[in-house]
Amino acid sequence: MTGREWSVEESLEIPAPPQTVYAALADVRRMKEWSPEVVWVWPRGDRFVGINRKACWVWFATCRIVTADPGREFAFDNTTFGLPVARWGYRLTPTEQGTLVTEYWTDRRRRGWRRRLAELLGLVFTGTPAARRAALNRAGMRTTLRRLSAACRTAA
């Protein structure tokens, strides 16, 4: 698959301290406030289920928090029907004006029949071919980071 992007990163400096940004991110119920796809989140300890929507497509994502380092990084793995799909995360770096937030996504659909099945399910549920997911996520990250910044400015 020549040219397919398997990971994407976007960064934005947010005028709030890392602890404020981390608190917003770690409260996964708030993800619907800034993500253009998330419409609802049901937290269950270190796991949560997110309901996502894009146009007429609606799907769920089962997630497990894999990194919870207050003020530094928050990340979770996304699976569908037990199949690995992606890792989403946020790295926080203090700056003079606040926090540089780097949102990252890594496609975990790597090989074999499980990859093909996860890609097919992704297409059916989201309407997006796997090869175009990175570009869609990059645009979504920019929106997410802008909305997160606005929420953190209000909180600070």
Side-chain angles (χ1 to χ4, degrees):
M1 290 193 167
T2 307
R4 179 166 172 183
E5 288 185 89
W6 293 91
S7 62
V8 174
E9 289 188 1
E10 285 290 322
S11 298
L12 181 68
E13 187 170 12
I14 295 178
Q19 295 78 9
T20 299
V21 177
Y22 182 87
L25 292 168
D27 184 356
V28 295
R29 295 168 299 179
R30 296 190 64 198
M31 187 59 72
K32 64 185 180 193
E33 293 177 34
W34 37 78
S35 171
E37 289 185 343
V38 177
V39 294
W40 184 76
V41 175
W42 182 42
R44 305 289 295 164
D46 71 340
R47 297 177 185 274
F48 60 95
V49 175
I51 304 298
N52 303 314
R53 181 174 183 190
K54 182 186 79 156
C56 63
W57 287 277
V58 177
W59 69 97
F60 71 93
T62 304
C63 302
R64 182 176 59 87
I65 298 168
V66 295
T67 304
D69 188 358
R72 295 191 179 157
E73 186 172 6
F74 182 78
F76 54 91
D77 283 347
N78 168 338
T79 62
T80 296
F81 299 109
L83 299 168
V85 175
R87 174 165 292 174
W88 286 91
Y90 302 84
R91 286 188 301 275
L92 312 176
T93 306
T95 65
E96 286 185 27
Q97 289 74 36
T99 306
L100 180 66
V101 180
T102 301
E103 182 175 9
Y104 60 91
W105 166 84
T106 303
D107 193 328
R108 295 177 59 227
R109 301 169 289 190
R110 288 296 175 141
R111 54 189 168 286
W113 68 269
R114 294 170 61 91
R115 175 182 132 198
R116 289 188 297 278
L117 180 56
E119 288 177 348
L120 175 63
L121 290 171
L123 178 60
V124 168
F125 287 110
T126 71
T128 303
R132 289 193 22 233
R133 193 68 193 163
L136 183 69
N137 287 348
R138 182 180 301 283
M141 288 173 167
R142 291 174 182 152
T143 299
T144 296
L145 291 171
R146 283 192 305 270
R147 291 176 179 173
L148 175 64
S149 179
C152 290
R153 278 194 304 266
T154 302

